[in-house]
Amino acid sequence: MSSDLAPRNTSTAPAVADDDNRYKAVQAKLDKLGKAMDDATLDLLALWRSMQENAKHTDGVATDIENADLDPKFVGLTANVATALDGAAREVRKLSDTAQETVDLTHETRRTHAKLYGALDDIRSNRREKTPRPGFFDC
């Protein structure tokens, strides 16, 4: 039973929350969010597996304590720890599933944004003349 959990240094810096809503900036932010959530999902899955293994090991320790005829108080406490670890592992798995759903929605949003605004950005980016910003003609 070990605890290898430690903060990782990743190259994925958090996406800056600013008011830059240009096409390429939004695409970059969505890409960063997707990558960060992918990393988080992998970390959560590793945590889930570790917690499951620790719960199973702790349950085995409770059985060993009982077989050694130690004070039943310690058997109960150890069994409670195993149960708590198992419950926490279930909740981490739910969190991992939610993070994966967020990853999927982020990638879908990025694709939809590209489909809706990519061609417009190409047109606006390749013009020498300035063009009105989106919403200019909405009066």
Side-chain angles (χ1 to χ4, degrees), residues 17-110:
D18 57 19
D19 60 352
D20 187 0
N21 294 324
R22 293 173 298 139
Y23 171 78
K24 288 180 178 79
V26 171
Q27 286 289 305
K29 289 174 192 175
L30 287 169
D31 187 48
K32 270 189 168 183
L33 175 62
K35 288 177 181 176
M37 290 302 297
D38 271 332
D39 289 346
T41 300
L42 293 174
D43 289 346
L44 285 168
L45 284 173
L47 176 61
W48 171 66
R49 285 187 201 100
S50 173
M51 290 178 86
Q52 277 190 316
E53 289 171 17
N54 285 340
K56 192 181 299 183
H57 177 75
T58 304
D59 191 47
V61 169
T63 302
D64 292 344
I65 290 173
E66 185 176 28
N67 292 339
D69 285 332
L70 293 177
D71 193 328
K73 171 175 76 172
F74 297 112
V75 175
L77 289 173
T78 307
N80 287 344
V81 169
T83 302
L85 279 170
D86 188 51
R90 275 195 306 275
E91 295 305 314
V92 167
R93 181 57 195 234
K94 287 181 190 176
L95 183 59
S96 173
D97 292 344
T98 301
Q100 184 58 53
E101 183 180 345
T102 303
V103 168
D104 296 341
L105 289 171
T106 301
H107 292 309
E108 181 182 333
T109 300
R110 187 168 188 260

